[in-house]
Amino acid sequence: MNNIPFVNLDRQYDALRSEINKAIQAVIDSKAFIQGPYVRAFEESFAAFCGCSYVIGCSNGTSALSLALEALGVGPGDEVITVAHTFAATANAIKHVGALPVFVDIEPNAYTMDPAALACALTPRTKAVLPVHLYGTPCDMVQIKSATSQRGIAILEDAAQAHGASLCGRPVGSFGDAATYSFYPGKNLGAYGDAGAIATNDDELARRLGKLRDHGRSSKYLHDIYGYNHRMDGIQGAVLSVKLKSLARWNARRRDLARRYDAAFADRKFKTILAPRDAVPVYHLYIVEVSNRDEVARKMEADGIATGVHYPVPLHRQESFRKDAGNLVLPTTERIAERILSLPICGELSDAEQDRVIESFLSVARG
Ligand SMILES: *Cc1c(COP(=O)(O)O)cnc(C)c1O
């Protein structure tokens, strides 16, 4: 029997091979290697997909976050409230602009920012809130907005795992001032290298971001503001334009697979992701809680099935943030970090393969 990888990029490429090869060749023929028409075309089609006015392509999801924070005016002396249950990039970006990450707990159903914890963490120095639509599950943006709206605090949505997710009929990324995306190869929409983007409906912010990512340029040798080289490559724009056409279908397949997992685990009472009622999640990851994680992972590996843990060490317990977090205690974050296991869920996983995953999991897992 074949091994089941965590993400099957071979199968995805096989299905799109000739179109992707042609798109890459076109960039090489035109020499539009950095920004240019292929990046612009992707920005336009991704803006339409996200239902927002502007998309600013950039070099990766982390630079998207730090550019957006800087454009929103976040800097030294400011506090940015986020979660410790996320990939390190979320909080690294806060440090990149010189601000202080303030970690709050998650709520135990959806594993996303607890709006009540956010409300308790607000101080006069809070400049922005950075909720993460982790696993492709929309955060409770309605509560998050109402906790901050009186105080004029900026909201930046980290949608690196949530391309195409929506809440109350509105796409994620349209609730805050801006949202950032990562197109790291394993994400729901992945490039063939590093790439990222910022989405916003604010035209002033969009203009500023367009300059900030490219040396603060207003023209080739005129620089209005101090900026960076955080540009997107033409080849990434071209590959992303091809793959974007399949994204809605891949996301729908991920939701089907999630429903099948949910059904298989429900009668054994395993806790999985419970998205908010009005949410359409996109299941970048499918996680399930177990009490014997290492044993389950070992058994599944022996059965040829890749699993992961997203994420095993919360950010407030990482060496890199120890000084910022002190001896902060986040009970839900800490408890689930010991229990969560990620199962394969990419758009290319077949029903038969998923059945093998479920069988292997259930043979040892304890709730
Ligand atoms: C992947 C990811 C990022 C960073 O994206 P890169 O493109 O790898 O820089 C940021 N936040 C979250 C939640 C992510 O999953």
Side-chain angles (χ1 to χ4, degrees):
M1 255 185 305
N2 290 335
N3 286 352
I4 300 175
F6 196 67
V7 181
N8 200 328
L9 291 179
D10 288 328
R11 211 173 272 174
Q12 190 192 63
Y13 176 56
D14 283 344
L16 298 173
R17 181 185 295 264
S18 68
E19 212 184 337
I20 285 181
N21 289 359
K22 227 171 72 197
I24 292 175
Q25 190 61 52
V27 178
I28 297 172
D29 291 340
S30 73
K31 315 296 181 295
F33 291 122
I34 296 170
Q35 296 196 146
Y38 295 98
V39 170
R40 260 197 311 280
F42 170 68
E43 288 171 336
E44 277 165 28
S45 44
F46 193 61
F49 181 87
C50 300
C52 73
S53 313
Y54 306 99
V55 162
I56 297 94
C58 54
S59 51
N60 55 66
T62 311
S63 63
L65 282 165
S66 53
L67 286 173
L69 288 169
E70 181 163 337
L72 288 166
V74 178
D78 294 330
E79 294 176 356
V80 178
I81 300 175
T82 191
V83 287
H85 183 55
T86 179
F87 182 58
T90 310
N92 284 344
I94 297 170
K95 299 290 283 186
H96 294 163
V97 298
L100 179 73
V102 174
F103 298 113
V104 297
D105 213 348
I106 53 172
E107 59 85 22
N109 288 321
Y111 305 102
T112 52
M113 180 180 279
D114 179 353
L118 159 65
C120 294
L122 293 167
T123 78
R125 297 213 293 199
T126 307
K127 182 79 177 187
V129 178
L130 180 33
V132 183
H133 304 298
L134 200 73
Y135 308 144
T137 308
C139 301
D140 186 346
M141 292 308 300
V142 178
Q143 293 296 322
I144 289 172
K145 272 187 87 125
S146 76
T148 55
S149 59
Q150 296 297 310
R151 312 221 200 171
I153 294 167
I155 298 178
L156 175 62
E157 300 173 54
D158 184 343
Q161 303 190 358
H163 323 68
S166 66
L167 182 69
C168 310
R170 280 172 62 183
V172 301
S174 65
F175 293 86
D177 297 278
T180 61
Y181 291 88
S182 165
F183 307 115
Y184 180 82
K187 298 283 160 81
N188 287 34
L189 179 61
Y192 278 13
D194 272 314
I198 306 142
T200 182
N201 289 317
D202 180 329
D203 41 305
E204 184 51 44
L205 196 65
R207 254 197 305 279
R208 206 174 154 71
L209 285 163
K211 289 179 189 171
L212 266 185
R213 72 163 163 190
D214 186 21
H215 301 296
R217 269 190 184 130
S218 54
S219 63
K220 191 162 185 182
Y221 294 116
L222 286 179
H223 306 265
D224 289 3
I225 52 175
Y226 170 86
Y228 304 89
N229 176 358
H230 285 329
R231 298 174 300 221
M232 186 190 280
D233 285 347
I235 285 177
Q236 305 313 335
V239 168
L240 288 167
S241 287
V242 171
K243 289 176 67 168
L244 179 59
K245 293 184 279 178
S246 302
L247 180 57
R249 182 169 48 82
W250 290 331
N251 282 345
R253 174 63 183 159
R254 286 172 184 269
R255 280 191 291 274
D256 284 344
L257 291 163
R259 271 193 289 272
R260 293 182 87 245
Y261 276 138
D262 283 345
F265 302 151
D267 39 325
R268 301 275 214 97
K269 309 255 188 298
F270 286 104
K271 165 77 177 73
T272 61
I273 302 167
L274 262 175
R277 223 166 12 97
D278 297 325
V280 180
V282 293
Y283 291 98
H284 173 58
L285 295 162
Y286 185 91
I287 64 120
V288 52
E289 289 187 36
V290 291
S291 59
N292 58 333
R293 181 172 65 202
D294 294 350
E295 189 186 358
V296 178
R298 268 197 308 275
K299 160 74 167 135
M300 295 185 76
E301 191 185 4
D303 289 343
I305 298 162
T307 62
V309 177
H310 302 89
Y311 297 90
V313 182
L315 300 188
H316 68 301
R317 296 288 185 231
Q318 298 279 358
E319 198 51 50
S320 51
F321 295 109
R322 194 155 293 178
K323 274 233 291 284
D324 297 323
N327 45 19
L328 178 70
V329 175
L330 301 172
T332 305
T333 296
E334 287 159 37
R335 182 172 53 80
I336 65 119
E338 310 269 314
R339 296 175 49 82
I340 48 178
L341 181 72
S342 307
L343 304 180
I345 193 166
C346 67
E348 290 71 29
L349 189 72
S350 71
D351 286 1
E353 287 171 327
Q354 187 183 29
D355 291 341
R356 268 179 60 200
V357 175
I358 292 167
E359 189 188 331
S360 173
F361 174 83
L362 288 178
S363 71
V364 277
R366 291 196 300 272

